[in-house]
């Protein structure tokens, strides 16, 4: 699994074949959503060290921008989804100055920003535009198969970007910056620009995923696309697999989401307990995720 | 010998909070010249290097490189103009291999092709090329920082206490390396507590005391200057 093309091909084949052998397409769709989000978060956290607690803000922005474009413009839905990605990138640009903060300050400011977006969107006063607390209805464009394919495309895009960050000249600069920003600057790396590009790419992926998700649900409340749990899942899934790699976040999200889908739904009381336990074990024994088991043995993983 | 200096500082000051760490420094350095920068602990030697290399911004004054003001430029711009440095406390890319550390600078500085093997040999790390940088000794890591700087094809090099903790043979090797760089036309500012070492590579030193330039001239004359003597004894 060293080659980007192989990873992309396996991913695509898997999610094209699975619906034919496993009937519950909604589980598969949500799994892809979280794989895309874990990968999108990994772009930022894994390659620059900025941990965006408010990552869900971009997802919600994409979901709402897509829905509003569908409602008010009548453009093809796919174009509206792209518009959702673009809206998240614009929000990322506006929040760009947050990158000057470091560590926990960045994470918390980003969290606050996502909450602000949520409160604006869900505000009663905006009910004629966003639907306010009553949510969004775009059931006229409901199309489970097309939205499923779109989410798969977003997942492949996120994974392609991660592979690019891991193996390109641009990625070499990122690695240097992540280890020592001052020395990276002295080596000639434009760290402000590289950081901003990664931030916008990460935001864009969440926005596109939000758009495809909104399309797939087609009727939802603001909570559904702004709940903090989405950020938490993306972070935990990515960490579990191993950030800074391409395969890690995919594996982490697939395994943990499958676990959630099996136990979380049938026996939620045990699920919380087991999940908590799993996270504690992870932090204690495998802080760099599943992939570190291979990397430690000098296996060249993507 | 009337060439325009490569680097010129005009009244450069730097404060941290209420503390004035650099107080109106003015001096120049020409291509191919080696200037020693000495002074007691905390006198502002490292800070001088930090403001020239863009790690910190000066609060007042101008820094001119080839006649162009650089005191507001970002680090990578300054590096791409041809100014680079090593660190008193090494700052290499610790999780990367030694060779990769050099490659980053060779790739991004955009100042022409460099021979990575030659740089590795020059800094004495040819045999460690595939080692993880974080596993090197502190002195080797300082040399790696120098290698990272050399990979940008610099015209001005700022070296911060690269000799501390080395044996005489190693010091001799570094002295020769620095002299050969100067012979290639690179200007060097060398911060060093080891005066014998400085004596071998230059006869021009600048002495700092509490952020002020106390003296500029030969090392020998410096040792007889009352201000300099007072600064080193009085602290
Ligand atoms: N980032 C900083 N923030 C606050 N104070 C600083 C900072 N950097 C340096 N200083 C202070 O500035 C003064 C000069 O420090 P500097 O490191 O330039 O001295 P130095 O001459 O290099 O000393 P040494 O010989 O110990 O390396 C010291 O008092 C130091 O505490
Ligand atoms: Mg110092």
């Amino acid at each position: 699994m060293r080659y980007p093309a192989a990873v992309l091909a396996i991913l695509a084949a898997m999610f094209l074949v699975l619906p034919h052998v496993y009937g519950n397409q909604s589980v598969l769709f949500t799994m892809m959503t979280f794989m895309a989000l874990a990968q999108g978060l990994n772009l930022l956290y894994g390659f620059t060290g900025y941990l965006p607690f408010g990552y869900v803000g971009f997802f919600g922005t994409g979901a709402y921008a897509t829905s509003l474009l569908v409602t008010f413009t009548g453009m093809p839905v796919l174009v509206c989804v792209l518009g959702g990605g673009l809206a998240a990138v614009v929000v990322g640009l506006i929040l760009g100055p947050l990158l000057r903060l470091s560590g926990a300050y960045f994470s918390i400011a980003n969290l606050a920003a996502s909450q602000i977006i949520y409160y604006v969107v869900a505000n009663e006063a905006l009910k004629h535009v966003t639907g306010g607390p009553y949510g969004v209805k775009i059931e006229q464009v409901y199309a489970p198969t097309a939205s499923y394919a779109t989410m798969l495309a977003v997942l492949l895009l996120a994974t392609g970007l991660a592979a690019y960050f891991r193996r390109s000249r641009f990625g070499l600069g990122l690695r240097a910056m992540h280890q020592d920003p001052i020395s990276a600057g002295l080596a000639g790396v434009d760290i402000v620009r590289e950081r901003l590009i990664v931030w916008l790419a990460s935001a864009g992926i969440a926005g596109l995923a939000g758009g495809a998700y909104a399309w797939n649900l087609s009727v939802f409340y603001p909570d559904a696309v702004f709940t903090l749990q989405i950020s938490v899942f993306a972070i935990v899934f990515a960490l579990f697999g191993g950030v800074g790699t391409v395969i890690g976040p995919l594996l982490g999200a697939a395994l943990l989401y499958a676990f959630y889908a099996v136990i979380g739904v049938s026996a939620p009381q045990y699920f919380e307990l087991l999940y908590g336990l799993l996270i504690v074990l992870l932090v204690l024994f495998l802080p760099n995720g599943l992939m570190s088991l291979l990397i430690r043995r000098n296996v060249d993983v993507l | 010998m009337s060439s325009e200096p490569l680097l010129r500082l005009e009244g450069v000051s730097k404060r941290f909070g209420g503390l004035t760490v650099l107080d109106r420094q003015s001096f120049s350095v020409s291509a191919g010249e080696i200037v020693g920068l000495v002074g007691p602990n905390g006198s502002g030697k490292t800070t001088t290097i930090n403001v020239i290399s863009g790690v910190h911004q000066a609060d007042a004054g101008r820094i001119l490189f080839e006649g162009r003001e650089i005191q507001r430029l970002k680090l990578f711009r300054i590096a791409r103009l041809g100014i680079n440095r090593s660190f008193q406390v090494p700052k290499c890319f610790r999780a990367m291999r030694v060779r990769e550390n050099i490659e980053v600078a060779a790739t991004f500085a955009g100042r022409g092709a460099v021979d990575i093997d030659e740089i590795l040999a020059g800094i004495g790390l040819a045999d460690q090329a595939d080692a993880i940088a974080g596993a090197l000794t502190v002195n080797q890591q300082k040399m790696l920082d120098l290698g990272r700087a050399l990979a940008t094809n610099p015209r001005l090099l700022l070296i911060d206490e690269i000799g501390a903790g080395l044996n005489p043979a190693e010091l001799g090797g570094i002295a020769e390396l620095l002299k050969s760089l100067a012979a290639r036309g690179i200007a060097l500012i060398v911060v060093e507590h080891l005066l014998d070492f400085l004596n071998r590579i230059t006869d021009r030193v600048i002495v700092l005391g509490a952020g002020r330039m106390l003296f500029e001239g030969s090392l020998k004359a410096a040792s007889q200057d009352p201000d300099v003597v007072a600064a080193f004894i009085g602290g």
Side-chain angles (χ1 to χ4, degrees):
Chain A
M1 294 284 267
R2 281 194 289 148
Y3 303 103
V7 173
L8 291 175
I10 291 169
L11 208 52
M14 204 172 103
F15 281 103
L16 289 175
V17 170
L18 273 174
H20 300 289
V21 290
Y22 175 73
N24 196 335
Q25 198 170 333
S26 127
V27 166
L28 293 177
F29 179 83
T30 315
M31 180 182 281
M32 279 198 301
T33 305
F34 279 112
M35 287 170 78
L37 285 174
Q39 191 69 285
L41 179 124
N42 175 47
L43 293 178
L44 184 71
Y45 182 54
F47 293 90
T48 69
Y50 284 87
L51 181 58
F53 281 165
Y55 195 53
V56 65
F58 298 119
F59 182 75
T61 298
Y64 266 85
T66 301
S67 306
L68 294 182
L69 286 171
V70 167
T71 309
F72 293 107
T73 71
M75 289 188 295
V77 191
L78 212 49
V79 175
C80 298
V81 172
L82 290 177
L86 192 65
V89 169
V90 170
V91 170
L93 265 179
I94 295 167
L95 297 181
L98 294 191
L99 294 169
R100 289 190 208 140
L101 304 172
S102 60
Y105 297 102
F106 167 82
S107 300
I108 290 167
N110 178 230
L111 176 63
S114 73
Q115 292 303 294
I116 291 169
I117 300 169
Y118 171 48
Y119 284 119
V120 170
V121 164
N123 201 292
E124 176 86 38
L126 282 179
K127 72 173 177 217
H128 297 297
V129 184
T130 63
Y134 313 107
V136 167
K137 284 193 188 63
I138 50 168
E139 75 265 45
Q140 70 274 22
V141 296
Y142 178 67
T145 308
S147 55
Y148 181 96
T150 305
M151 187 61 87
L152 177 55
V154 176
L155 173 58
L156 294 174
L157 175 64
T159 301
L161 281 170
Y164 177 69
F165 288 1
R166 193 145 163 87
R167 289 286 154 91
S168 64
R169 176 195 130 104
F170 182 81
L172 181 67
L174 285 180
R175 260 181 13 150
M177 173 172 99
H178 196 176
Q179 290 175 41
D180 194 310
I182 288 178
S183 290
L186 288 167
V189 181
D190 184 349
I191 55 177
V192 174
R193 178 171 163 275
E194 286 222 349
R195 202 177 265 164
L196 186 66
I197 289 173
V198 174
W199 166 244
L200 297 180
S202 176
I205 290 297
L208 290 171
Y213 190 75
W215 187 10
N216 190 267
L217 290 188
S218 78
V219 179
F220 58 91
Y221 289 109
D223 266 355
V225 293
F226 278 106
T227 170
L228 197 57
Q229 194 180 22
I230 293 175
S231 281
V232 173
F233 271 21
I235 292 169
V236 172
F237 292 175
L239 283 173
F240 183 73
V243 294
T245 68
V246 176
I247 300 172
L250 300 176
L251 198 64
L255 289 176
L256 287 189
Y257 185 75
F259 182 68
Y260 173 78
V262 172
I263 300 180
V265 179
S266 59
Q269 66 277 37
Y270 298 115
F271 169 75
E272 297 280 345
L273 184 73
L274 288 171
Y275 231 50
L277 203 65
L278 204 62
I279 292 169
V280 171
L281 289 176
L282 167 73
V283 172
L284 285 180
F285 297 107
L286 219 57
N288 296 317
L290 291 177
M291 281 297 134
S292 64
L293 290 173
L294 294 174
I295 291 169
R296 256 188 239 158
R297 287 169 180 71
N298 272 321
V299 181
D300 181 21
V301 290
L302 189 64
Chain B
M1 292 296 286
S2 64
S3 60
E4 160 81 1
L6 187 64
L7 175 78
R8 189 158 81 233
L9 272 68
E10 293 178 351
V12 171
S13 296
K14 176 72 190 172
R15 280 179 295 280
F16 287 114
L19 183 70
T20 299
V21 175
L22 296 186
D23 191 3
R24 288 161 292 167
Q25 280 196 17
S26 301
F27 64 87
S28 17
V29 185
S30 301
E33 188 183 18
I34 301 182
V35 180
L37 193 57
V38 298
N41 291 118
S43 57
K45 304 181 295 294
T46 298
T47 306
T48 302
I49 288 186
N50 283 342
V51 296
I52 297 171
S53 60
V55 170
H56 288 150
Q57 291 228 324
D59 297 312
R62 303 201 304 159
I63 303 174
L64 298 131
F65 186 67
E66 301 185 297
R68 174 178 173 188
E69 288 196 32
I70 60 162
Q71 71 269 12
R72 295 270 163 262
L73 296 184
K74 287 186 190 146
L75 270 180
F76 81 98
R77 293 258 174 242
I78 290 177
R80 289 182 188 178
L81 284 177
I83 299 179
N84 231 291
R85 64 172 294 175
S86 71
F87 288 95
Q88 185 173 356
V89 180
K91 283 174 78 64
C92 52
F93 307 119
R94 296 176 56 85
M96 288 190 193
R97 294 178 196 287
V98 167
R99 175 183 294 277
E100 288 176 313
N101 267 262
I102 310 282
E103 270 167 7
V104 175
T107 307
F108 283 91
R111 294 184 46 76
V114 291
D115 183 340
I116 292 178
D117 290 314
E118 188 189 316
I119 291 174
L120 286 170
I123 58 172
L125 293 176
D127 292 341
Q128 285 89 352
D130 292 321
I132 299 295
L136 300 178
T137 67
V138 170
N139 282 312
Q140 286 174 326
Q141 290 185 23
K142 284 193 204 177
M143 291 305 282
L144 184 52
D145 279 339
L146 175 60
R148 190 254 309 125
L150 288 174
T152 66
N153 258 333
R155 319 232 345 255
L156 170 67
L157 254 183
L158 315 167
I159 312 247
D160 201 353
E161 298 202 22
I162 204 160
L166 294 181
N167 67 38
E170 291 166 329
L171 282 173
I174 293 178
E176 289 314 310
L177 174 64
L178 298 186
K179 280 200 277 190
S180 76
L181 294 173
R184 273 164 44 189
I186 300 176
L188 290 106
I189 296 178
V190 180
V191 171
E192 196 53 83
H193 282 294
L194 307 166
L195 299 185
D196 284 347
F197 174 80
L198 274 186
N199 223 351
R200 285 176 71 161
I201 59 173
T202 183
D203 56 6
R204 181 182 170 209
V205 296
I206 291 170
V207 183
L208 299 184
R212 282 194 311 117
M213 284 177 60
L214 300 178
F215 176 88
E216 191 174 358
S218 78
L219 201 53
K220 197 159 170 239
S223 62
Q224 279 142 28
D225 185 281
D227 284 348
V228 172
V229 173
F232 273 92
I233 293 172

